[in-house]
Structures are given as C-alpha cells and as structure tokens.
Amino acid sequence: MPLKPPTLSLQLPPPFLIPRLNLSHVAKRGIRSLTPPRPNRFNRSQDLPLLESTTAAALKRKEYTTPLRTGVLGIKKGMSAIYDPETGRRHACTVVQMDRVQVVAHKTRQRNGYFAVQVGCGWKHPSNVTRPLLGHFAEHGVSPKRHLVEFKVLDETGLLGIGETIGASWFQEGQFVDARANCRGMGFAGGMKRHGFSGQPASHGVSLTHRAMGSAGQSQGGGSRVYPGKKMAGRMGGQQVTVQNVKVLKVDDENGLVVLNGCIPGPDGCLVKLHDALKKPWPEMPSPAPGVTDQTHATA
C-alpha cells in the first residue's frame, strides 16, 4: 500500500481573529526629518538677490542717510540763555558764529565717485598757506581759508555755486541739526575718571592702590597677554563727538549767529560742523542759484 502523506497538525485560527489587511494601500519608503527646516534670517537662501559690490550700489544703499544739501562751518562762541516769552522758562543755548563761509570746490560722481561740497571758513594769510593749497584757492577764485571741510550730498542738486557765501539763514528756526566737533581734551587721566571704574576698596588690606586700575589680564588661559582695546589709563578727550537732533532756537543772519538749544561738544573757539539732522525730516531746500548747473558740469 502506498504511504499516506503526513497530515499537518497546524490549524488556522477562526476568521474573526485574522486581521483584515488593506492591500490597496502601498506604503512609500522614505526618510522624514524630525526637525523640519525653519525660515533662516541669514543669507543662506537661494531666493535672495545677489549682493552688489559696485560703487553705485554702495551709494544707493546710503541714499536714505545722505543729506540733500551741504552743511556749514561755525565757531563756537560760548553758552547763554534764552527766556521763552510765553511760558517764561529759561533755555540754555549755545551761540555759533559763521565766519565768511564759502563754497570752495565740488566733488562729482563722474570725477570723484560721489557728490560733495568743499566748504571753507575764516581767513588765513597767504604766507601761512602752502603753495599747492594756494593754487587750489586761486583756481576757484576764493581767498585762502583757515578751515576746509567736505560735506557729502545726495546728488548734483545739492551742489552750490563755487564762491557762493553761506550765511546763518541757511538754517531755519525750529529745525533740527547735527553738531559735530572735537570735544575738550582732558589730558592724561586714570581709569576711574576716563572709564568710570569704581576703584578698589578704601580699607581691608588695600594700601596705596585705591584708585589703581588693578589687573590688566589673566596670566594663563587667555594667551598671557593684554587684549586689544583694554580700558586703561591714557589720554582722555580730544576726539570727534556728534550731538544729534539739536534744535535751532534763533537765527541772526545779519551777524551770522545761530543759537542752538542746549550744549554741543568742544571748547569755546573750536570749529563746529553743522548739517541737517539725519534722523529728522529734511527741511525745505532753497532753490539753487543761477549758473550752478553750468559750474557743476564744468568741474565734472
């Protein structure tokens, strides 16, 4: 007799215990990040425009902060006070006098890469002026000036005629200006006066070093050196300081005086640079003098 195949003892579970499989859904294999990308504020995206490194692009980025007209030079005469006739309040003020302020030269974008006005004030004896500078003044038909400063302007509409005199009426009462001058020099000063250090304790083991600076750096772990820019004792003052948004209280065009609210940097008799405030709306510009456009193209 032929042998019977062996019977399997394995039996399937009942149908209600078999899970129902949905074969119509096909799973897609892939990798999903647990930290999805977030918008980046740095220049790492492909959609950002390329940075421009040309001179024209640099001037375009500074259009918003470039004044529409030139600034002026003045001499700080001192401080005084003005009483408000309506309220009776006393306002401290600074008197600045303009001394023969004239336009000496122009700087144009075609020739120099930017627009600017060279302004001079005061007077200097020709024997105390170098020959190259004398030739510069003679070329533009202007007497030798004691001070020469350049003020940038936005475009050629801000270029005044060469030789034109700028008076105190260049500013209007109530407008705001930025005053820039070299502050008063203090000479050599210690760390407490120069940087506001609190000093060392007045007792408890401190001897003769109450106003000393103390340690200037670590001896291990930091390169055994003094870091650049360390606040130490040294010459204090004498650097250029700018005070912004100074209000013009009064203008005396006959005497060339501009009265500013509050104090401005510098000692009495120092040179002060005044121009329209960068953080305030631009004042209304006066119409350019006739012949300015012809001189601008002639100097380009």
Side-chain angles (χ1 to χ4, degrees):
M1 294 181 62
L3 296 177
K4 295 182 179 180
T7 58
L8 297 177
S9 61
L10 181 63
Q11 297 181 356
L12 294 178
F16 64 88
L17 292 180
I18 299 176
R20 297 179 179 178
L21 299 178
N22 187 8
L23 301 179
S24 62
H25 175 73
V26 179
K28 295 181 179 180
R29 299 177 58 88
I31 300 175
R32 188 180 65 176
S33 175
L34 298 178
T35 57
R38 293 178 296 178
N40 194 351
R41 64 188 181 92
F42 298 100
N43 189 11
R44 295 181 180 178
S45 176
Q46 297 180 357
D47 301 333
L48 294 178
L50 296 177
L51 295 179
E52 299 179 356
S53 58
T54 60
T55 305
L59 294 175
K60 187 176 181 180
R61 288 192 293 267
K62 297 180 180 179
E63 283 184 355
Y64 186 74
T65 56
T66 304
L68 302 179
R69 59 179 192 165
T70 179
V72 298
L73 301 178
I75 304 299
K76 181 179 178 181
K77 289 300 181 182
M79 295 195 65
S80 182
I82 290 181
Y83 288 90
D84 190 352
E86 297 181 358
T87 61
R89 295 186 60 184
R90 179 180 183 273
H91 297 278
C93 60
T94 304
V95 180
V96 179
Q97 185 176 21
M98 299 182 184
D99 182 17
R100 291 163 282 190
V101 181
Q102 281 184 289
V103 178
V104 177
H106 290 161
K107 295 294 180 67
T108 59
R109 184 174 296 182
Q110 293 78 11
R111 185 175 181 180
N112 308 102
Y114 60 96
F115 290 104
V117 179
Q118 192 179 64
V119 179
C121 76
W123 181 81
K124 201 171 185 179
H125 198 277
S127 62
N128 295 329
V129 182
T130 60
R131 288 187 178 182
L133 205 53
L134 277 177
H136 177 68
F137 289 123
E139 179 185 358
H140 298 92
V142 182
S143 61
K145 299 295 182 181
R146 180 166 294 276
H147 304 285
L148 275 179
V149 175
E150 189 177 289
F151 293 95
K152 281 189 176 182
V153 293
L154 180 60
D155 49 23
E156 60 182 2
T157 59
L159 300 178
L160 299 178
I162 295 179
E164 184 176 347
T165 303
I166 304 177
S169 59
W170 186 252
F171 298 111
Q172 306 170 3
E173 294 185 4
Q175 82 162 95
F176 293 89
V177 297
D178 292 344
R180 184 174 300 163
N182 291 333
C183 65
R184 182 167 58 91
M186 306 288 184
F188 193 93
M192 295 183 66
K193 181 178 181 180
R194 190 184 184 196
H195 301 291
F197 292 167
S198 60
Q200 300 188 35
S203 60
H204 298 289
V206 179
S207 301
L208 306 178
T209 57
H210 306 286
R211 298 182 63 89
M213 183 186 69
S215 175
Q218 61 277 14
S219 62
Q220 190 177 15
S224 301
R225 62 192 179 94
V226 179
Y227 289 155
K230 170 66 179 175
K231 295 181 179 180
M232 306 174 72
R235 176 173 287 184
M236 179 179 178
Q239 71 271 13
Q240 182 175 267
V241 177
T242 303
V243 176
Q244 296 181 329
N245 303 333
V246 182
K247 189 176 182 180
V248 178
L249 298 180
K250 201 170 184 180
V251 174
D252 186 359
D253 193 23
E254 183 179 356
N255 298 318
L257 300 178
V258 178
V259 181
L260 305 176
N261 183 30
C263 60
I264 60 176
D268 295 346
C270 71
L271 179 69
V272 181
K273 309 170 190 176
L274 299 177
H275 60 84
D276 299 331
L278 299 180
K279 298 182 179 179
K280 296 289 183 178
W282 301 119
E284 296 182 1
M285 293 179 56
S287 58
V292 173
T293 307
D294 299 340
Q295 295 184 12
T296 301
H297 292 295
T299 56

